[in-house]
Amino acid sequence: PNVVSIAGVDPSGGAGLLADLKTFSALGAYGCGVVAALTAQNTQAVTGVHTPPVDFLRLQIDTLFADVKLAAVKLGMLGTAAIVETVADRLAHFSAPNVVLDPVMVAKSGDHLLAKSAVSMLREALLPRCFVLTPNLPEAGVLLEARAPETLREMYRAAERLRELLPHSNEHWVLLK
């Protein structure tokens, strides 16, 4: 199957688009990629982020979807409200199947990768398109407008509350990391 990752590029290859492509390949899928952000980062820190103009992002998505039959879409770092809005618009336009959203907001180093102004856009525009949502604990807290869950009981409750945000929650999944 053809699968696309719409995400940021981590030059170290440990996360983002490059890691997604390696994973797709290892699992027998043909990986495609749309660059939603460029980062200057290594295993310890993010030192810079550059996002493409939304017109070019739209062109990447439209060009790919016009040619390649995609079985699934994996979303990673999107960075800004304008990028989130553009991605949501194009996914709706193409009726993209099997959307997996990893709402990348904070790197393991603690660096913020999603503008605060983009969180509500992500919640409103992308969650309704999701088949699977895969936040880490701090991201779950941000999406729920609460502190990050700490205990196992809080994690179960957070996953349930996140699932309620998805359309047809009985047919959609949350993987809390």
Side-chain angles (χ1 to χ4, degrees):
N2 299 318
V3 181
V4 63
S5 173
I6 302 174
V9 174
D10 167 4
S12 73
L17 187 60
L18 299 177
D20 289 346
L21 293 175
K22 290 187 271 187
T23 301
F24 298 161
S25 183
L27 295 172
Y30 182 83
C32 302
V34 170
V35 178
L38 298 171
T39 68
Q41 74 181 85
N42 56 27
T43 61
Q44 298 178 23
V46 177
T47 58
V49 174
H50 175 75
T51 55
V54 292
D55 289 344
F56 187 73
L57 176 67
R58 181 181 297 109
L59 184 60
Q60 288 182 80
I61 295 169
D62 289 356
T63 302
L64 179 65
F65 275 77
D67 181 48
V68 178
K69 182 173 175 28
L70 295 163
V73 177
K74 195 273 188 178
L75 303 175
M77 179 190 173
L78 300 177
T80 69
I83 289 175
V84 170
E85 182 177 28
T86 300
V87 168
D89 174 71
R90 302 327 292 156
L91 294 180
H93 176 80
F94 289 104
S95 300
N98 303 313
V99 176
V100 176
L101 173 59
D102 181 2
V104 176
M105 298 177 182
V106 182
K108 288 180 183 170
S109 62
D111 296 289
H112 287 270
L113 299 174
L114 182 69
K116 289 182 182 184
S117 62
V119 174
S120 62
M121 180 64 67
L122 187 139
R123 195 182 293 118
E124 295 166 17
L126 286 178
L127 286 183
R129 300 225 39 90
C130 284
F131 170 64
V132 178
L133 176 63
T134 67
N136 62 28
L137 297 178
E139 292 162 349
V142 171
L143 288 171
L144 293 170
E145 299 177 315
R147 69 174 176 75
E150 296 174 359
T151 68
L152 188 58
R153 180 183 174 112
E154 289 175 349
M155 290 175 204
Y156 278 115
R157 182 63 188 131
E160 290 169 356
R161 288 182 56 215
L162 287 166
R163 193 168 179 213
E164 291 168 3
L165 297 176
L166 302 177
H168 314 292
S169 62
N170 60 335
E171 300 170 8
H172 293 79
W173 302 91
V174 173
L175 172 63
L176 189 58
K177 306 178 285 182

